[in-house]
Amino acid sequence: MSGFFLYNLNNIVQIAVLLYLSYRNLRNLQQKGPWVPAVLFMFILVTLLATGFYWVTHELMTGTSLYAFSAMDIGEIGIFLLLSALLGASFKEPLSRDLPALAAALFFAAGNALLWGAWNGHWAQDIASGLFLWVLVYTLIRGLKRTGSLSRPVWSAFGIGSAGIFALQTAAFMTGSTFGKIFDFASEVIWFAGIVYLMLRVIRILRQDLPDEGLIGLACAASTWIVCTMYMSSNPYYIIADLCNTITFVLLLLVLERKWGETV
Amino acid sequence: MIYSENILICIAAPLLIAAIFLRGEARRFAVFFTVGMVICLLSAYISGFLEFAGMMEADKIPLYVSPVVEESMKVLPLIFVLLVIQPPEEGLFLGSVALGTGFATFENCCYILTAGSENLTYILVRGLAVGVMHLVCVLMVILGTILARRTRTFSLAAFVGALSTAMCYHSLYNLLVSQPGVTSIIGYVMPLFTVGVLTVPYRRIRKEI
């Protein structure tokens, strides 16, 4: 039993944090202010809680691997969509169509989905997740472009970084053991560099109270980048990314509370 | 073996006749309640077919297939009403509550006829846990629908996202109660606890509409 708890410690910590965030979000909902983002965030938290709890319970009760399109997969797709809706709801004017953004999002989502499929062999569910990731990334790119939250060099760095990750992961998949580990480690460095940049950016804006309309977009981008890191990583990188994901949801709540304060 | 279709006819007939004499919200409630029961029967047919077709082992059907089938089926009448009648949000709430209650009632009737009604604990669990769980899931979807109306451009994302949340929640419930012990007790308490949580956004939205 103690082994089980150690193995699932990150999940248990995440559930505890999410329960607190849900309580705080509910308290916010009782007050005046924009209720649409708060309810959308509540849905995200409930889905995260349900999937986290499902995973721990499934491990505890059966110890077997999950079937394709289990509650975990459905929940992950749901989170992609709810994050898109949350981001879309934060803009007064609807986001306009943007072909380059659509192509860039397709490149990112397809690259991820193909590599997930290659690594785990669950092609159907990975392609389905990839399609919904495409929706989210397309919304994120348009939102961040509108608010101008990322400078041109940063956009380029993320583009080159993504291409680099796909190349390194493909090389790791093809070469196998010794070289594969080196390529895998190199791709993890790029993933975590992206995580650190996005999280520090959100924390900096929050702490120094800097104006930024795209704060929700940055927090959602951090969460999306972390989820993609998790899907393409094994332990211990997976656990570290999962803990970063928990922190990102704390940041997302703080971002929403700040927005909330501006509106009231 | 029970004949679910006969049970449905027996319960639905007086309700439908009563609907002729009812007006406004009461009639809407009676109709949606009956639709909820029909949906329950159709969901059982689909899940049964998938089990018969050998898609999955029988014990895995409630964990993987039933939540997806049942939640998708519950959404269909709501989509139809949204597209054809376009009712106000208050009407949507009423319809969804009636639909969820009808679904849960019919499922409970069939289970009680199969397993008997002597054990009060079992009856309480059926009523307060499974019954309320179906209601909670429909309420989640309807909250998502209202959000979808408000977010406009991201309406599909909000709607399908909320539906995924309901499916996830339903799967978790089915997993928790699939084996006796502490997990099943958590599962039985979960729907009532969630009702308490859902009252907060519900009250807030009621103020706005």
Side-chain angles (χ1 to χ4, degrees), chain A residues 48-59:
Chain A
L48 277 168
L49 266 171
T51 50
F53 204 32
Y54 189 91
W55 175 258
V56 172
T57 314
H58 192 271
E59 281 276 302

Side-chain angles (χ1 to χ4, degrees), chain A residues 170-220:
Chain A
T170 310
F173 182 73
M174 305 287 240
T175 50
S177 59
T178 318
F179 280 114
K181 279 181 184 165
I182 298 167
F183 291 135
D184 192 44
F185 178 75
S187 73
E188 294 295 350
V189 170
I190 304 175
W191 277 126
F192 279 92
I195 293 175
V196 169
Y197 173 79
L198 288 168
M199 285 179 73
L200 285 181
R201 185 81 199 274
V202 175
I203 292 169
R204 187 171 160 264
I205 296 169
L206 276 173
R207 281 194 64 180
Q208 298 181 354
D209 214 17
L210 296 171
D212 194 324
E213 280 198 349
L215 199 47
I216 291 183
L218 281 172
C220 289

